[in-house]
Amino acid sequence: MNHRLSSTLLWIGVALIGAFAVGGIALQRGEIINSLWIIVAAVCVYALGYRFYSAFIAAKVLVLDASRATPAERFDDGRDFMPTHKWVVFGHHFAAIAGPGPLIGPTLAAQFGYLPGTLWILIGAVLGGCVQDFVTLFFSVRRDGRSLGQMAKDELGAIGGSAAMLGVMMIMIILIAVLGLVVVNAMKHSPWATSTVAATIPIAMLMGIYLNNLRPGRVAEATLIGVSLLIFAVVGGGWIDENQTLRGWFDYDAPQLALMVILYGFAAAVLPVWLLLAPRDYLSTFMKLGTIAALAVAIVVLRPELKMPALTQFIDGSGPIFGGKLFPFVFITIACGAISGFHALISSGTTPKLLANEQDARFIGYGAMMMESFVAIMAMIAASVLEPGVYFAINSPAGIVGKEAADAVAKISAWGFPVSVEQMQHLAQTMGESTLFARTGGAPSLAVGMATLFSRVFGENLLAAWYHFAIMFEALFILTTLDAGTRVARFMLQDILGNFGIGVGKTHHYASILLTSAAVVGGWGYFLYMGTIDPLGGINSLWPLFGIANQMLAAIALCVGTTILVKSDKLNYSWVTALPLSWLIIVTSAAAWEKLFSADLRVGFLAHAKDLSDKLTNGLLSPDMAGKAPHLIFNDYLNAGLTSLFMLITWLLLADTLRVIYCVVAGKDYPESSESPHMPSRLVEEWVRD
């Protein structure tokens, strides 16, 4: 009784502290606040969400069953399906989902101020993102580890399911290509980053062999070896960067790195999961979590003030970093970290094939997404502790603020965010860079923020080293998402081909694995390589689609989840997925409409294409721009076509979801549940059933 009372008082205290911190963040106006407020608010919100909301979903909504055999046990083939220790699965899952989104999205969204993004990250994750990941993982485990598209076809029927499979596959190819380009740009001509990221591959393979052949189940031993080698690789990367002979071995331009990334993606898709993918992602997780923990420690120790205002004047859509108003674009810019459809592909791809105990779905699905949300909070703080003038100087494109440094600082200072040329030159020199002006994309400004905090706690004479470490850290985040995404896309393609009776759709045949992996890698690899050799950026033109496509994927996943809940006699609990689904439909539809039909040339694809076309026809463009215009016009129309297709597929899935729900409630015929029959687990090894 005393224990229950003390526990109740503890959680009441956590709730009160969290409410006070969130209220302080939300209501603070015109005064500089301490970043520790955000840390406290986040920890309290996550603790309450995991302890109560995820427990409610696990016990009442999904009813997890530890005695039930998982697909990893029933289909154990030592390659894709394999019972794996829950901490290794957690590491793989977190590494796979935690790509550039939780780092870059919040950094870019800081142009609206720190408040909107922070609130969306906290609320969106606990009620949306964590729920989507958890529910999708559980339903995939109950359906033999099937992909999201296949579950949509099984549960909704041929029309909606086929549309979902096609849409998800197309979105996946675009997402992986964009991720590939981001990691290539982060590593190009950076021997430190390239050598360290490359070293994680043989280290991971050594760990895989150690755990699978030499010392099965000895996770602690393998972890110690792997982490030690990883630390050595990070330090060694600095030595390589300083050695003029060795740095040449790892100094590559973008097209060369693209080919290497393509080869790596193919290897990650075809090699047994225990040999490369799972141990590498598990290993990368230590660097990711270690770095984020160190960043949290630096913030707690330093308690830096947030220099960015709670709200900026750019909430009206006039922001220099990207066009669009606060609604709906803050919810599109910050996808990963709040809710991300890409996670549903991992939750129905590699992870359900590794889960040894169904009860671990809560820890891995809900818990790993919560960790990613915390990463997004760290990124928001790192961006917001920079001087706003510096933040906008790094992230604003030259086409907005001017190509000359003097013009850029004059324009940014006129916005009310003072900055000087000398200040930016000094900052670039201390970071070991020639310039930091117009380094768009979010990664450089995040690295500057992280390096500034790290240097103040762990050594101010190592500022340049911390900056390049942060760049490498971001590249590692992205690459682990790319390799898992490639493997998931291969599963999806095999599912699609299997539905048409094509032999390569058989997931266990090695010829099928090789052919479908080559097709997937060839798809995103083509766009990636063309993007690196195109002077206009190539696939970079598709980046505005990233957020919309990601959120539409989440809507598709929540459509499937809501349908399954209703078909499982859980209509009274369907609000768990229906509420975030409703919000995503509103947000994605509004954003897609804006991107298609807005008259603002920085927002609307069609308006921008028409403007360029008219200027080209009337001879109003410079010779250089006239040569680029046809390519830019084509990209605008391609973007518009893809946006329309994604929106059409999302609404078709929503209509099919409502149709099936109506049939269930009205007692009419509907597709039967595809849940596999209950089979008792025979696993007894402590390391997989703990």
Side-chain angles (χ1 to χ4, degrees):
M1 189 67 178
N2 289 335
H3 174 73
R4 177 176 294 182
L5 177 62
S6 59
S7 177
T8 301
L9 292 175
L10 171 65
W11 286 110
I12 290 175
V14 171
L16 290 175
I17 293 172
F20 183 75
V22 172
I25 296 169
L27 299 176
Q28 197 71 261
R29 291 292 184 276
E31 297 180 14
I32 295 177
I33 71 167
N34 194 293
S35 57
L36 198 58
W37 283 68
I38 295 182
I39 296 289
V40 172
V43 170
C44 291
V45 169
Y46 295 146
L48 291 166
Y50 187 81
R51 170 61 183 84
F52 295 103
Y53 196 47
S54 74
F56 161 74
I57 295 173
K60 299 293 186 181
V61 181
L62 303 180
V63 192
L64 304 185
D65 184 358
S67 68
R68 188 184 184 110
T70 64
E73 177 185 354
R74 292 188 290 116
F75 304 122
D76 187 359
D77 60 7
R79 183 173 58 243
D80 294 326
F81 293 86
M82 189 174 181
T84 306
H85 193 283
K86 67 179 180 181
W87 282 103
V88 176
V89 181
F90 180 91
H92 154 72
H93 186 77
F94 175 77
I97 65 172
L103 297 172
I104 305 304
T107 303
L108 299 179
Q111 82 161 3
F112 293 129
Y114 66 80
L115 179 59
T118 298
L119 294 178
W120 169 233
I121 291 168
L122 294 179
I123 299 170
V126 171
L127 300 181
C130 296
V131 172
Q132 177 213 236
D133 292 17
F134 182 13
V135 168
T136 304
L137 174 58
F138 172 79
F139 286 141
S140 181
V141 168
R142 284 285 178 96
R143 284 156 181 78
D144 299 339
R146 291 192 184 100
S147 67
L148 176 63
Q150 185 62 47
M151 286 196 295
K153 184 175 184 298
D154 293 340
E155 300 294 338
L156 293 171
I159 296 178
S162 298
M165 294 178 76
L166 175 63
V168 169
M169 190 69 205
M170 292 180 63
I171 292 172
M172 193 67 172
I173 293 295
I174 293 172
L175 295 186
I176 297 175
V178 172
L179 293 177
L181 188 61
V182 172
V183 76
V184 164
N185 287 339
M187 292 195 301
K188 67 180 180 182
H189 299 304
S190 178
W192 189 354
T194 302
S195 62
T196 304
V197 172
T200 62
I201 298 172
I203 294 173
M205 295 179 73
L206 174 62
M207 282 185 65
I209 294 171
Y210 191 91
L211 283 171
N212 195 68
N213 301 110
L214 301 179
R215 300 273 286 175
R218 304 290 184 174
V219 177
E221 295 176 11
T223 300
L224 181 61
I225 294 171
V227 172
S228 299
L229 290 174
L230 182 61
I231 294 172
F232 179 77
V234 174
V235 176
W239 299 337
I240 290 172
D241 193 47
E242 295 173 357
N243 188 295
Q244 293 303 314
T245 301
L246 293 178
R247 67 176 283 119
W249 296 359
F250 297 95
D251 190 356
Y252 300 102
D253 59 19
Q256 291 173 312
L257 284 170
L259 292 175
M260 295 177 189
V261 169
I262 290 168
L263 289 174
Y264 170 75
F266 180 76
V270 301
L271 288 177
V273 69
W274 62 264
L275 181 59
L276 178 57
L277 191 66
R280 184 188 185 281
D281 289 353
Y282 175 67
L283 185 63
S284 300
T285 297
F286 280 92
M287 172 169 284
K288 293 178 178 183
L289 293 180
T291 304
I292 292 301
L295 185 58
V297 169
I299 291 171
V300 170
V301 171
L302 296 172
R303 298 185 296 282
E305 295 179 336
L306 300 177
K307 306 289 181 60
M308 187 68 70
L311 293 170
T312 69
Q313 65 265 42
F314 301 127
I315 59 175
D316 64 356
S318 62
I321 299 173
F322 60 89
K325 296 181 180 180
L326 178 65
F327 179 87
F329 286 99
V330 72
F331 306 103
I332 297 302
T333 305
I334 301 178
C336 304
I339 182 168
S340 167
F342 181 82
H343 295 189
L345 303 182
I346 304 300
S347 295
S348 63
T350 53
T351 305
K353 297 175 174 65
L354 302 175
L355 207 67
N357 190 331
E358 188 176 282
Q359 279 195 326
D360 294 337
R362 176 192 175 200
F363 168 64
I364 293 164
Y366 201 97
M369 174 57 204
M370 192 169 287
M371 284 300 305
E372 173 169 311
S373 185
F374 190 64
V375 171
I377 288 291
M378 294 294 101
M380 178 62 75
I381 292 174
S384 300
V385 297
L386 291 174
E387 290 288 346
V390 171
Y391 167 85
F392 285 109
I394 296 174
N395 286 294
S396 299
I400 299 294
V401 297
K403 294 182 179 180
E404 300 299 325
D407 296 333
V409 299
K411 189 159 190 175
I412 294 169
S413 298
W415 294 335
F417 305 119
V419 64
S420 66
V421 174
E422 294 75 19
Q423 183 181 2
M424 292 300 298
Q425 287 176 339
H426 176 71
L427 182 64
Q429 290 173 357
T430 57
M431 296 295 169
E433 295 287 330
S434 57
T435 181
L436 287 173
F437 277 106
R439 295 291 297 274
T440 57
S445 64
L446 175 61
V448 169
M450 291 174 62
T452 302
L453 292 172
F454 283 152
S455 65
R456 289 173 59 188
V457 175
F458 305 111
E460 293 193 12
N461 59 333
L462 299 174
L463 195 58
W466 282 120
Y467 173 81
H468 287 95
F469 172 82
I471 290 291
M472 181 273 301
F473 159 77
E474 295 174 59
L476 198 60
F477 246 95
I478 298 164
L479 200 58
T480 51
T481 305
L482 181 143
D483 57 27
T486 300
R487 200 175 190 95
V488 170
R490 187 253 288 177
F491 293 144
M492 291 163 52
L493 181 58
Q494 287 176 309
D495 281 342
I496 292 173
L497 295 175
N499 283 312
F500 291 99
I502 300 175
V504 293
K506 297 177 180 178
T507 58
H508 299 292
H509 291 182
Y510 210 67
S512 163
I513 293 171
L514 293 174
L515 289 173
T516 51
S517 296
V520 168
V521 173
W524 63 256
Y526 168 79
F527 289 110
L528 168 60
Y529 187 79
M530 294 305 293
T532 62
I533 64 175
D534 189 330
L536 299 179
I539 198 64
N540 258 343
S541 63
L542 299 177
W543 180 257
L545 284 176
F546 187 94
I548 295 176
N550 211 4
Q551 302 300 63
M552 286 185 172
L553 265 179
I556 291 173
L558 290 169
C559 279
V560 174
T562 303
T563 302
I564 295 175
L565 283 177
V566 174
K567 290 169 66 174
S568 304
D569 295 326
K570 297 290 179 64
L571 178 62
N572 55 330
Y573 290 130
S574 61
W575 58 266
V576 170
T577 52
L579 285 179
L581 169 61
S582 301
W583 176 248
L584 283 183
I585 291 293
I586 294 170
V587 167
T588 54
S589 298
W593 187 267
E594 287 283 312
K595 295 303 292 184
L596 286 173
F597 302 115
S598 174
D600 186 340
L601 299 182
R602 297 180 58 223
V603 178
F605 292 135
L606 298 178
H608 186 255
K610 185 179 185 303
D611 179 71
L612 268 182
S613 182
D614 291 344
K615 289 179 178 177
L616 181 64
T617 302
N618 296 323
L620 301 177
L621 299 176
S622 66
D624 179 56
M625 193 61 191
K628 297 176 180 178
H631 184 85
L632 296 174
I633 293 170
F634 171 80
N635 285 341
D636 280 332
Y637 284 123
L638 177 61
N639 287 345
L642 289 171
T643 301
S644 300
L645 177 63
F646 297 156
M647 186 164 63
L648 176 64
I649 289 173
T650 303
W651 276 96
L652 180 60
L653 261 293
L654 178 63
D656 226 16
T657 296
L658 295 175
R659 177 187 64 82
V660 173
I661 292 174
Y662 168 76
C663 290
V664 173
V665 174
K668 298 185 177 182
D669 292 337
Y670 58 88
E672 293 184 4
S673 173
S674 60
E675 181 174 315
S676 58
H678 181 283
M679 288 183 61
S681 175
R682 296 179 180 274
L683 289 178
V684 294
E685 292 89 343
E686 182 180 350
W687 68 270
V688 291
R689 300 298 294 176
D690 58 358

